[in-house]
Amino acid sequence: SQTIHQWPATLVQPVGSPLSLECTVEGTSNPNLYWYRQAAGRGLQLLFYSVGIGQISSEVPQNLSASRPQDRQFILSSKKLLLSDSGFYLCAWSVPGYSYNSPLHFGNGTRLTVT
Amino acid sequence: DAKTTQPPSMDCAEGRAANLPCNHSTISGNEYVYWYRQIHSQGPQYIIHGLKNNETNEMASLIITEDRKSSTLILPHATLRDTAVYYCIVRVRTSGSRLTFGEGTQLTVNP
């Protein structure tokens, strides 16, 4: 069966520091991968998605970037964190290709607090 | 994107059926209706999805009207653990097969 791992679960970082959040998926090949963010009391916002190694699409301009160095690894990064980067970051995967008849599966998220 | 409209909050008594409505009047013929829920401080959990026919799984039932302009998620015997925000999403055919979440319905199951 497929599993998705995110770490760390919680993170407190000072303003201006770098960020690296990692997500890995097991049990599937060439999945679609997604990064979402949820600010406090708000809905989920799609940040990036990837349909293959090295293929990253950005949904909103921001202080963050994403990379996919391996088939089942998705990394969210920032060179210098802002206070507004605080939130709940969620990674998700779905079967490869444009399959609208299969769900996204989410990890347990990383709660980031920028101080 | 096809917009969905859900009530911001609902209450349900434990053991009773919870019926969560969703309007999606601009849905296109090949767009799926998905339901997720999010329990506080956890990632969204997939519940069920459908295109035209009613669907049932171990978690819930999804009833889609014949004109597909609305749907209802049914939790047949709600428990306290079903307290969560429930999202109804129309999955449009855009690149990346992504999902766009709205505000959802806060369901509170009361003892």
Side-chain angles (χ1 to χ4, degrees):
Chain A
S1 63
Q2 301 88 358
T3 56
I4 181 169
H5 303 280
Q6 276 189 256
W7 64 91
T10 59
L11 189 61
V12 180
Q13 293 282 101
V15 168
S17 64
L19 173 73
S20 181
L21 301 180
E22 188 165 344
C23 171
T24 59
V25 180
E26 296 177 356
T28 186
S29 296
N30 196 31
N32 293 332
L33 296 171
Y34 310 82
W35 278 112
Y36 283 82
R37 176 172 63 194
Q38 187 172 36
R42 305 288 297 276
L44 283 85
Q45 178 187 37
L46 179 65
L47 300 176
F48 302 95
Y49 67 90
S50 171
V51 298
I53 296 175
Q55 301 178 61
I56 308 295
S57 296
S58 174
E59 285 295 292
V60 293
Q62 61 215 322
N63 187 40
L64 302 169
S65 62
S67 62
R68 184 170 177 173
Q70 300 181 43
D71 181 41
R72 290 168 290 175
Q73 184 184 33
F74 206 21
I75 297 173
L76 184 69
S77 303
S78 173
K79 293 182 179 179
K80 291 184 178 181
L81 283 169
L82 306 172
L83 287 175
S84 57
D85 292 324
S86 294
F88 191 39
Y89 288 83
L90 291 150
C91 181
W93 73 273
S94 70
V95 297
Y98 296 97
S99 176
Y100 300 90
N101 189 24
S102 59
L104 272 65
H105 302 278
F106 287 81
N108 289 325
T110 294
R111 189 161 303 280
L112 171 67
T113 303
V114 182
T115 61
Chain B
D1 290 358
K3 180 178 173 59
T4 61
T5 303
Q6 298 179 256
S9 63
M10 294 183 63
D11 287 281
C12 177
E14 187 177 20
R16 304 297 293 270
N19 297 285
L20 292 92
C22 179
N23 288 320
H24 32 78
S25 58
T26 60
I27 193 170
S28 297
N30 59 358
E31 293 172 343
Y32 286 83
V33 178
Y34 278 77
W35 283 84
Y36 280 77
R37 72 180 183 184
Q38 187 176 23
I39 297 170
H40 184 62
S41 297
Q42 297 183 21
Q45 179 187 23
Y46 165 74
I47 301 174
I48 199 167
H49 73 283
L51 183 62
K52 295 180 181 179
N53 300 319
N54 298 338
E55 302 287 345
T56 296
N57 62 21
E58 65 278 4
M59 290 182 66
S61 295
L62 173 60
I63 307 299
I64 302 174
T65 58
E66 190 170 348
D67 63 7
R68 302 211 325 123
K69 292 184 177 182
S70 66
S71 61
T72 301
L73 179 74
I74 300 173
L75 308 179
H77 305 286
T79 71
L80 299 180
R81 289 178 295 179
D82 291 322
T83 293
V85 177
Y86 287 76
Y87 297 97
C88 170
I89 304 164
V90 171
R91 194 170 194 183
V92 300
R93 300 187 72 83
T94 58
S95 61
S97 306
R98 58 194 185 274
L99 289 173
T100 301
F101 286 77
E103 298 300 317
T105 296
Q106 171 66 58
L107 174 69
T108 302
V109 181
N110 301 304

